[in-house]
């Protein structure tokens, strides 16, 4: 590695030293191509330069000295010591595609020179050089394009330089180097293939323009593509250069907040190392991410894909950057099992009239001494022309050779992309120069509104016009924004199997950055062929999507895309896939069983269901029984059993008990404002009336037996009038309490959503707890007084001492209502109402049975006992 570092330091100096001694007839294959028969250098009134990667480095030799190196190939040693030096670092391969770009520039210049409407009376010249797709040789090419092939033949610096602009470079790393060299001279540079977003920085690259969209738009397009197909778990592989570095940074920025995570980030070394490549392939193969985004040039990617194919890795969905998505070197049939289905954004295609015919004129018969043409022939047909001595390692051509599949796109000019960019770049310079030449005196863009001196045009003056140029070519408008970028537009390209088994590039959509947000990407999904010749989209996720009803719970220590699906809590829902949080339902709604929809809560109240109907029947039966007793008493009203203790009170008790049974019906059904006020007041007043009557009867019983004692005249204070007054007053107290209750804080319907969250308990709120317990307390007070008095009279003489039955009835009444209190508090909902109805019915039945069953028994079953003597205990 120390030797490598030393060579890296010495290389720039050695490049200049060796190149300064070259003669025009011995140009380096990897650095200078400037005096060839096809005319890669031509004079003109204004000269522009061109830098193209006519060769590319394919692999890095072993630097650890672990095995004996192979002999250096003759095609890399051909012309001078400099190329021997560079071949220590990489093995160069000729690139027919880049050669076509150079010929496109030559064609455009010749086409412009023939036009009468563009640059009339002036001609363009050009100088074209080879960068070898490497920054160091690209740097030397930039120096050479400024000075010429031999520094000793270059003119002294005087006035404006002979070069006005440069078409180049292909790779972003090379363009960065070249642009920095051109910056002090103010020479504008139009790139046809450098898309790094870093080149949009006008402070660092003030003279840089490009006819290819910036990667800032490419990464935006890729992010939208990943979102469209729901690929949330992806890997990224990039080259070791500015293009790959800035593209990765831009992609990561675009993916923020989208839910897409990067499983891994790997880098292909600039000087290719097979061991490192195998490590990257191993990571790709073992990762669960089946979608891989690649920001790389085809030169460094070629050996990587060769090793990838050797490892027999499949099932990867490749997302290609524009740098290699249309690379013809990968179109061979051997690539399809591994790269078929690749999708990516490529440069928009255009039309170049006459390009195919022009390419066919370049052949060894016409240019027998040109080494590039011979290399082209060797690359296209795998043979060496018979007149050539430059490619001795190849067999001689017989004329029957067929065009190699991997380079078949060389002559395919139906839809050129990068060549079209070169074509547009040359025309941009020509139109800018045309506008400069036809400047109106006094209206120029320079100081004092002057125009440029046409005999001494400076590059910075041309840049002024280049910044503002706008023209139409092949139906497309070409212009530049303030950063030197062109209109962002891409074709979406899919790699599909051709009829011959090779790979064909098929347009399946487009991305237009000029459209409104959300409408930039257009995809023809049915036209896409996926890896493995499948028609269904490949799935690439760290965790499967969470269905509605679940939420994502991020796994600790893992990216956001790796999560577990947790079901929503009760009362919360998620109605879409991959919800981050569950939404709480509103107060009157609750989640369904699946947790996907908020449904209205079940409104619970004591309706006429099974329970309600049962209580209704019991209440009606009780009322009917009471009325039946009333009818019996009415029919036998003159018998001793009925008349013994004030039959009027008995009738009052029976009527009040009937109302007690019937008031239970008010508690059944949906609560309303009127029913809530009626149920409690009716219940309290009817029970107060009933207990008041029983209290009056108890007083009468007690007074009747004590009145038999000498000198006792208590009965005159408990006559019928006094009894009615007692009943009225006791009931009036309850009426007053209920009136105050209804006036101050009456009962009202209440929707209870807190006790049981899954349902709404519709009940009657008592309004005022104090009033409610006062009502119950007053009834309890009457019952206790009645119980106490009846208990005192339980042992009075006679066969029918009614005090015993009153005592027992009050005991049942108090027991029922004492049991009611805890049951009422502990069972909210419709069961609270049911408990209250049960207490009403139970206490009513208790009073009915205890007070009237013995009398009905005597009247109906034992009429012989229905005599005054028997009741007084005087019968024998």
């Amino acid at each position: 590695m120390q030797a490598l570092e030393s060579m890296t330091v010495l290389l720039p100096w050695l490049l200049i030293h060796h190149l300064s001694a070259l003669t025009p007839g011995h140009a380096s294959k990897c650095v200078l191509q400037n005096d060839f028969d096809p005319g890669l250098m031509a004079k003109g009134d204004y000269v522009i330069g061109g830098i193209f990667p006519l060769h590319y480095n394919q692999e890095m030799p072993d630097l650890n000295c672990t095995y004996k190196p192979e002999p250096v190939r003759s095609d890399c040693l051909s012309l001078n010591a400099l190329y021997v030096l560079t071949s220590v670092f990489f093995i160069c391969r000729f690139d027919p595609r880049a050669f076509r770009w150079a010929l496109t520039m030559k064609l455009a210049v010749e086409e412009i020179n023939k036009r009468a409407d563009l640059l009339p009376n002036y001609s363009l010249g050009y100088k074209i050089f080879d960068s070898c797709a490497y920054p160091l040789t690209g740097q030397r090419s930039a120096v050479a394009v400024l000075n010429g092939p031999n520094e000793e033949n270059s003119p002294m610096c005087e006035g404006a330089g002979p070069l006005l602009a440069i078409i180049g470079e292909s790779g972003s790393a090379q363009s960065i180097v070249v642009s920095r060299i051109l910056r002090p001279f103010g020479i504008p540079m139009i790139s046809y293939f450098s898309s790094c977003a870093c080149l949009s920085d006008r402070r660092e690259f003030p003279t840089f323009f490009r006819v290819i969209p910036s990667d800032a738009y490419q990464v935006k397009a890729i992010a939208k593509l990943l979102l469209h197909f729901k690929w949330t778990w992806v890997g990224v592989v990039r080259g070791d250069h500015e293009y790959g570095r800035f593209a990765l940074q831009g992609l990561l920025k675009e993916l923020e907040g989208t839910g897409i995570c990067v499983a891994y980030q790997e880098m292909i070394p600039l000087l290719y190392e097979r061991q490192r490549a195998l490590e990257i392939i191993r990571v790709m193969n073992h990762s669960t991410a089946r979608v891989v985004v690649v920001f790389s040039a085809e030169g460094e990617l070629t050996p990587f894909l060769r090793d990838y194919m050797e490892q027999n890795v499949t099932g990867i969905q490749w997302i290609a950057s524009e740098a290699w998505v249309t690379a013809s070197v990968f179109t061979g049939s051997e690539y399809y099992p591994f790269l078929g289905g690749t999708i990516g954004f490529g440069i928009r295609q255009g039309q170049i009239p006459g390009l195919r015919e022009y390419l066919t004129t370049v052949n060894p018969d016409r240019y027998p001494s040109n080494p590039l043409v011979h290399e082209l022939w060797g690359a296209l047909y795998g043979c060496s022309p018979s007149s050539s001595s430059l490619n001795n390692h190849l067999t001689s051509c017989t004329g029957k050779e067929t065009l190699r599949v991997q380079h078949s796109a060389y002559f395919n000019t139906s839809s050129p992309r990068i060549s079209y960019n070169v074509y547009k770049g040359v025309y941009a310079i020509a139109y800018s120069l045309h506008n400069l030449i036809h400047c109106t005196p006094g209206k120029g863009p320079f100081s004092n509104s002057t125009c440029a001196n046409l005999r001494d045009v400076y590059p910075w003056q041309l840049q002024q016009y280049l910044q503002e140029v706008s023209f139409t070519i092949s139906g497309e408008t070409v212009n530049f924004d303030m950063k030197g970028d062109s209109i962002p537009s891409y074709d979406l390209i899919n790699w599909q199997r051709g009829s011959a088994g090779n790979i064909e590039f098929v347009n399946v959509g487009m991305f237009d950055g000029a459209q409104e947000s959300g409408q930039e990407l257009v995809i023809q999904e049915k036209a896409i062929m996926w890896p493995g010749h499948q028609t269904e989209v490949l799935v690439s996720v760290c965790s499967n999507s969470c269905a509605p009803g679940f939420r994502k719970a991020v796994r600790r220590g893992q990216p956001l895309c790796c999560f577990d699906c947790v079901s929503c809590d009760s009362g919360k829902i998620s109605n879409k896939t991959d919800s981050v949080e569950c939404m709480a339902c509103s107060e009157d709604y609750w989640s369904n069983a699946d947790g996907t929809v908020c449904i209205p809560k079940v409104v619970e109240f004591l309706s006429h269901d099974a329970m309600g109907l049962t209580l209704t029947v019991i209440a009606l039966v009780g009322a009917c029984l009471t009325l039946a007793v009333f009818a019996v008493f009415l029919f036998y009203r003159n018998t001793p059993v009925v008349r013994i203790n004030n039959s009027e009170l008995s009738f009052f008790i029976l009527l009040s008990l009937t109302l007690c049974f019937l008031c239970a019906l008010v508690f059944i059904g949906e609560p309303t404002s009127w029913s809530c006020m009626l149920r409690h007041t009716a219940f309290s007043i009817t029970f107060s009336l009933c207990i008041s009557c029983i209290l009056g009867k108890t007083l009468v019983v007690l007074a009747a037996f004590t009145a038999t004692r000498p000198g006792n005249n208590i009965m005159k204070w408990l006559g019928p009038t006094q009894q009615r007054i007692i009943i009225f007053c006791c009931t009036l107290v309850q009426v007053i309490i209920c009136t105050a209750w209804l006036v101050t804080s009456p009962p009202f319907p209440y929707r209870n959503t807190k006790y049981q969250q899954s349902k709404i308990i519709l009940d009657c709120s008592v309004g005022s707890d104090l009033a409610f317990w006062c009502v119950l307390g007053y009834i309890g007070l009457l019952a206790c007084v009645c119980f106490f008095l009846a208990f005192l009279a339980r042992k009075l003489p006679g066969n029918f001492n009614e005090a015993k039955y009153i005592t027992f009835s009050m005991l049942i009444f108090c027991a029922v209502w004492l049991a009611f209190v805890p049951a009422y508090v502990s069972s909210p909902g419709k069961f609270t109402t049911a408990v209250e109805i049960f207490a009403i019915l139970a206490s009513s039945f208790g009073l009915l049975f205890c007070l009237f069953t013995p009398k009905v028994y005597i009247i109906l079953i034992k009429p012989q006992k229905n005599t005054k003597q028997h009741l007084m205990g005087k019968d024998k």
Side-chain angles (χ1 to χ4, degrees), residues 270-487:
L270 184 61
L271 299 177
Y272 189 76
E273 298 179 19
R274 188 172 188 271
Q275 190 61 35
R276 175 65 185 130
L278 293 178
E279 294 176 2
I280 297 174
I281 294 170
R282 192 176 302 111
V283 171
M284 293 171 57
N285 192 29
H286 288 87
S287 174
T288 55
R290 309 317 296 163
V291 174
V292 180
V293 182
V294 181
F295 297 105
S296 178
E298 63 179 278
E300 65 209 25
L301 197 59
T302 301
F304 177 81
L305 290 179
R306 181 191 61 201
D307 290 332
Y308 174 83
M309 293 161 62
E310 288 180 0
Q311 299 301 313
N312 196 28
V313 179
T314 57
I316 295 291
Q317 173 65 61
W318 297 88
I319 306 295
S321 66
E322 98 293 332
W324 65 281
V325 72
T326 56
S328 58
V329 69
F330 303 132
T331 57
S333 58
E334 69 275 12
Y335 285 98
Y336 182 79
F338 304 94
L339 299 180
T342 295
I343 194 169
F345 292 97
I347 304 164
R348 296 295 302 275
Q349 60 188 19
Q351 298 296 327
I352 305 177
L355 178 59
R356 179 177 177 83
E357 292 75 11
Y358 191 81
L359 295 177
T360 57
T361 63
V362 180
N363 55 69
D365 293 335
R366 185 171 180 181
Y367 305 104
S369 61
N370 187 294
L372 285 179
V373 176
H374 287 265
E375 284 192 86
L376 172 67
W377 227 245
L380 295 181
Y381 298 101
C383 64
S384 176
S386 57
S387 60
S388 174
S389 60
L390 298 175
N391 286 327
N392 293 330
H393 66 286
L394 297 177
T395 59
S396 297
C397 294
T398 63
K400 298 181 180 180
E401 289 79 11
T402 58
L403 189 65
R404 286 184 172 180
V405 175
Q406 62 266 37
H407 297 303
S408 60
Y410 177 78
F411 288 112
N412 183 7
T413 59
S414 60
S415 57
R417 299 180 187 275
I418 305 173
S419 298
Y420 180 61
N421 279 354
V422 174
Y423 190 71
K424 289 191 296 184
V426 176
Y427 265 90
I429 294 173
Y431 275 103
S432 301
L433 191 57
H434 180 86
N435 295 338
L436 181 148
I437 293 172
H438 292 82
C439 173
T440 303
K443 297 182 179 180
F446 310 116
S447 60
N448 299 322
S449 300
T450 58
C451 297
N453 182 359
L454 301 184
R455 295 182 180 180
D456 201 14
V457 178
Y458 287 87
W460 62 267
Q461 293 175 321
L462 177 63
Q463 180 176 346
Q464 181 75 25
Y465 285 90
L466 192 61
Q467 185 67 63
E468 300 175 356
V469 72
S470 180
F471 61 97
T472 301
I473 185 170
S474 298
E476 177 185 357
T477 300
V478 180
N479 51 36
F480 302 99
D481 61 18
M482 295 307 297
K483 296 181 180 180
D485 295 330
S486 59
I487 298 174

Side-chain angles (χ1 to χ4, degrees), residues 123 253 271 276 455 578 649 678 695 721 735 795 803 871:
S123 63
K253 185 176 181 180
L271 299 177
R276 175 65 185 130
R455 295 182 180 180
D578 287 337
L649 290 181
L678 181 62
L695 177 61
T721 302
V735 172
K795 293 184 179 181
L871 296 177

Side-chain angles (χ1 to χ4, degrees), residues 531-554:
H533 209 66
Q534 299 296 316
T535 56
E536 296 182 358
V537 182
L538 182 142
V539 177
S540 182
V541 295
C542 181
S543 299
N544 291 323
S545 296
C546 290
F550 293 82
R551 64 174 179 85
K552 297 194 295 186
V554 179

